[in-house]
Amino acid sequence: MAFWVVGGEYTGTDFTTIAAGKTLERHGPFVDYQHAHDVWASRAWATVDDCQSRFRIVEGTETEPGTGPALAEGQPARH
């Protein structure tokens, strides 16, 4: 299992469609939650004034992020 930070600028605050001319950012893989959280915090603070930007931490594989729900802030996955 690996952790990924995914997100970017979306067309609206429903965060379902990436904005035109933008791509989904994928940062990772990270071997532990803490490293992913550090990158998430950096990207989240860099876009804090843009209400249509969102980043989240998800579990994935060593080659790609998963499509499951975002992990709760401050709560690493339990296995």
Side-chain angles (χ1 to χ4, degrees):
M1 177 185 58
F3 297 95
W4 292 77
V5 176
V6 295
E9 185 179 338
Y10 292 81
T11 58
T13 55
D14 60 353
F15 306 109
T16 58
T17 305
I18 293 291
K22 304 292 183 175
T23 59
L24 181 69
E25 293 183 35
R26 300 167 19 141
H27 303 275
F30 302 98
V31 296
D32 59 51
Y33 180 86
Q34 186 60 52
H35 283 98
H37 184 273
D38 292 346
V39 171
W40 168 84
S42 173
R43 294 305 301 132
W45 279 110
T47 59
V48 70
D49 293 325
D50 182 356
C51 69
Q52 294 183 169
S53 289
R54 178 183 180 195
F55 291 88
R56 62 195 192 286
I57 300 171
V58 297
E59 293 179 341
T61 67
E62 291 184 13
T63 58
E64 64 184 38
T67 58
L71 300 176
E73 174 59 28
Q75 307 255 335
R78 288 183 270 155
H79 293 278

